[in-house]
Amino acid sequence: MRKIIVQEFITLDGVMQAPGGPEEDESGGFKYGGWAAPYFAEADAAAGDFMAKWMQSTDILLGRKTFEIFADYWPKHADMWPGINDVTKYCASTTLDKSDWQNTVFLKTVDDIKKLRDSDGSDIKVHGSGDLARTLFKYDLVDELCLMTFPITLGVGKRLFGEDGIAAAFTLTDSVVTPNGVIFANYKRAGEVKTGTVGD
């Protein structure tokens, strides 16, 4: 079985929309696009190993909107992400079925994603793709989380976690805190949520 690893930039209040630039995703009148950019130089210097792991080329699984952003940008900037054009890009979409980006495969249903996860091969990383990520949480298809949490709140914007996700426990496996307050953290799935009473 392959692991599905959800990698996201998020704010303290869980917003994941448009971290990379003002025009990345303006839907809903979102006006804070590029909120992660001011933190990156120091974060990169303090968490070089973590970032290298983050950018390691593996097969990727993307929702339609993120796929279209990636397919427009990365074929022209592959020097910034070695191997990105060579790995398999899985796009989960009910409307998109062709692309000029090499090694692209389209998935139509959650069952298609389940079959992919049950197949042989490398880990599969999810970048951005908020709707897809929430669907993966809903159907318990997230094996690991890799979060880069920035010390800001935005109050508005698309969030990583929806109200229809399942209850799930995770274990912290690695973490780094940069001098400017960005928290890099890796988590792996750890069974069911346990409850109890504090002090017992």
Side-chain angles (χ1 to χ4, degrees):
M1 187 176 81
R2 308 173 75 173
K3 289 189 299 186
I4 294 180
I5 303 170
V6 173
Q7 297 193 162
E8 302 289 355
F9 303 146
I10 64 170
T11 65
L12 291 174
D13 55 345
V15 175
M16 57 171 292
Q17 185 172 353
E23 298 177 359
E24 186 176 342
D25 181 359
E26 297 175 300
S27 60
F30 189 69
K31 61 182 181 180
Y32 298 110
W35 49 265
Y39 296 88
F40 258 99
E42 191 172 335
D44 286 353
D49 290 344
F50 204 108
M51 284 301 298
K53 184 177 180 181
W54 184 289
M55 297 295 289
Q56 182 181 8
S57 292
T58 67
D59 290 352
I60 59 176
L61 172 61
L62 305 170
R64 179 186 60 81
K65 292 178 184 177
T66 303
F67 175 83
E68 289 178 332
I69 293 170
F70 275 37
D72 180 62
Y73 184 84
W74 286 114
K76 296 175 268 187
H77 299 87
D79 58 315
M80 297 169 56
W81 193 349
I84 186 60
N85 289 325
D86 300 321
V87 301
T88 302
K89 278 73 68 174
Y90 295 96
C91 175
S93 173
T94 58
T95 58
L96 197 63
D97 58 12
K98 63 180 179 179
S99 173
D100 293 331
W101 199 9
Q102 67 192 58
N103 304 326
T104 295
V105 176
F106 292 93
L107 307 176
K108 297 296 183 185
T109 67
V110 171
D111 283 340
D112 290 338
I113 297 173
K114 290 179 179 178
K115 290 176 184 176
L116 173 63
R117 183 175 177 242
D118 289 338
S119 67
D120 294 327
S122 67
D123 294 343
I124 303 164
K125 293 182 178 179
V126 177
H127 299 269
S129 308
D131 291 341
L132 171 62
R134 286 185 289 275
T135 297
L136 296 174
F137 283 117
K138 179 179 179 179
Y139 289 96
D140 198 13
L141 295 174
V142 177
D143 299 292
E144 294 185 13
L145 272 171
C146 185
L147 302 180
M148 191 185 299
T149 305
F150 292 77
I152 55 172
T153 60
L154 298 178
V156 297
K158 298 175 183 176
R159 286 170 164 78
L160 176 57
F161 301 104
E163 295 183 359
D164 58 350
I166 66 162
F170 287 84
T171 297
L172 180 69
T173 59
D174 189 19
S175 64
V176 174
V177 180
T178 69
N180 61 359
V182 179
I183 301 171
F184 294 74
N186 281 344
Y187 304 88
K188 68 177 180 180
R189 188 72 165 82
E192 303 302 315
V193 172
K194 298 176 182 178
T195 64
T197 301
V198 175
D200 283 355

